Amino acid sequence: MRQLSSYLWAEIIKEHRHSFHSKMIYFSLLVWPAIMFVTAYYSFAPFRLGPDSPLARFVAPDQLPLFLLTGYLGYIFYWCLVQSAWQMSFERQAGTMEMIFISPVNRLAFLYGRSLSSLVEGVWLFFCFVLLALLFVGGLHPSGLWAPLLAFVILLVSAVIWGGFLSVLFLFSRDASFLYTVLDEPMLIFSGVRLPPMAFPFWAKVISFCFPLTYALQLIRGLLMKGETLLVLAPKIGYLAVVLLVLVSATVLLLKQAEKHMKETGNMVMY
């Protein structure tokens, strides 16, 4: 356990030095997501947002800022791991990722440790912005004092598991740019970041529920905006748990298949 924690800490330091070589990057961590949030909010301005508006069937008008804040917070958590996995694919092409197979640390721990380090580096500033924004935004109706903590844990755990799965996909893929295209913009559009999935047509709902972020946002908004109890949220928690279990199983399976493929061919590219 001590060896694993030391390795995870070393991975966080390495990720920090690799990604944050300029102080301006810290500035962009806040400005870019904040601009996205403001742009999304004012994109609704030309439309009728009163109690009788079509959107009010899914989101109360006074909760729209909170709806977008939670949506973009969840998106940033997941998006930074898409970026990290994409970066891993470039490291593999440069021949610097053999450490995943020669490191004494468990491979799964390596992937999840890298995901966690990327998450810490990528979201902390926007997370602080959201906490400050919540002081001025209405519509917050938590289930209890425990609700914000549970919402954070749900977002953190689900994002790390998602990041580990993406890392395997990108690490052994021949064309990581294709995966990036498929997993980035569609997640923003269909996961309920800016619009509730229930407002989508059926075909879009099917795409929406392919992303674990969709389930995570439903839980977070239920805890913070609707004041739903654990009993009410239990089915949604179950759905997310099943999705995460599938992702963990797929991650382990892909790692084993990749190792077998490498032993047989000497090539890290599996598909």
Side-chain angles (χ1 to χ4, degrees), residues 4-47:
L4 176 58
S5 11
S6 300
Y7 182 81
L8 293 181
W9 178 247
E11 184 65 21
I12 290 175
I13 294 176
K14 176 198 166 187
E15 190 77 12
H16 175 80
R17 290 175 178 172
H18 186 275
S19 303
F20 292 80
H21 48 80
S22 169
K23 292 182 179 178
M24 288 301 295
I25 294 177
Y26 292 100
F27 183 68
S28 69
L29 282 176
L30 174 61
V31 171
W32 171 74
I35 289 176
M36 290 181 66
F37 162 71
V38 172
T39 303
Y41 179 75
Y42 282 101
S43 66
F44 287 98
F47 302 99

Side-chain angles (χ1 to χ4, degrees), residues 16-227:
H16 175 80
R17 290 175 178 172
H18 186 275
S19 303
F20 292 80
H21 48 80
S22 169
K23 292 182 179 178
M24 288 301 295
I25 294 177
Y26 292 100
F27 183 68
S28 69
L29 282 176
L30 174 61
V31 171
W32 171 74
I35 289 176
M36 290 181 66
F37 162 71
V38 172
T39 303
Y41 179 75
Y42 282 101
S43 66
F44 287 98
F47 302 99
R48 183 165 46 91
L49 296 176
D52 58 341
S53 68
L55 185 61
R57 294 171 50 202
F58 307 100
V59 183
D62 65 324
Q63 289 188 320
L64 181 58
L66 180 59
F67 180 89
L68 293 174
L69 275 174
T70 53
Y72 274 99
L73 179 62
Y75 173 69
I76 296 302
F77 266 67
Y78 278 67
W79 172 84
C80 77
L81 295 178
V82 176
Q83 293 285 324
S84 174
W86 195 25
Q87 179 181 320
M88 177 179 277
S89 71
F90 287 115
E91 291 183 36
R92 185 216 66 200
Q93 294 171 12
T96 60
M97 279 306 300
E98 289 84 354
M99 71 174 100
I100 191 174
F101 289 105
I102 63 176
S103 170
V105 177
N106 179 275
R107 296 185 184 96
L108 199 61
F110 174 89
L111 293 177
Y112 288 144
R114 182 185 173 97
S115 297
L116 182 59
S117 66
S118 301
L119 198 58
V120 170
E121 294 290 354
V123 306
W124 70 270
L125 194 54
F126 186 70
F127 183 75
C128 293
F129 164 75
V130 170
L131 291 181
L132 289 174
L134 289 177
L135 298 176
F136 305 97
V137 170
L140 189 65
H141 303 291
S143 313
L145 295 177
W146 50 269
L149 178 60
L150 179 58
F152 175 75
V153 170
I154 288 172
L155 195 53
L156 180 67
V157 172
S158 62
V160 169
I161 292 176
W162 169 250
F165 173 68
L166 291 185
S167 295
V168 176
L169 282 184
F170 279 68
L171 182 60
F172 303 108
S173 170
R174 182 182 302 274
D175 185 8
S177 60
F178 171 75
L179 287 173
Y180 179 83
T181 302
V182 169
L183 293 170
D184 182 30
E185 192 67 24
M187 183 171 64
L188 175 63
I189 296 172
F190 295 108
S191 290
V193 175
R194 294 179 294 199
L195 286 171
M198 291 299 104
F200 295 153
F202 177 76
W203 63 269
K205 290 177 185 175
V206 173
I207 298 175
S208 173
F209 287 98
C210 292
F211 294 102
L213 177 58
T214 305
Y215 303 91
L217 287 179
Q218 285 187 339
L219 285 169
I220 291 167
R221 286 163 174 160
L223 286 166
L224 301 181
M225 296 172 59
K226 301 178 182 178

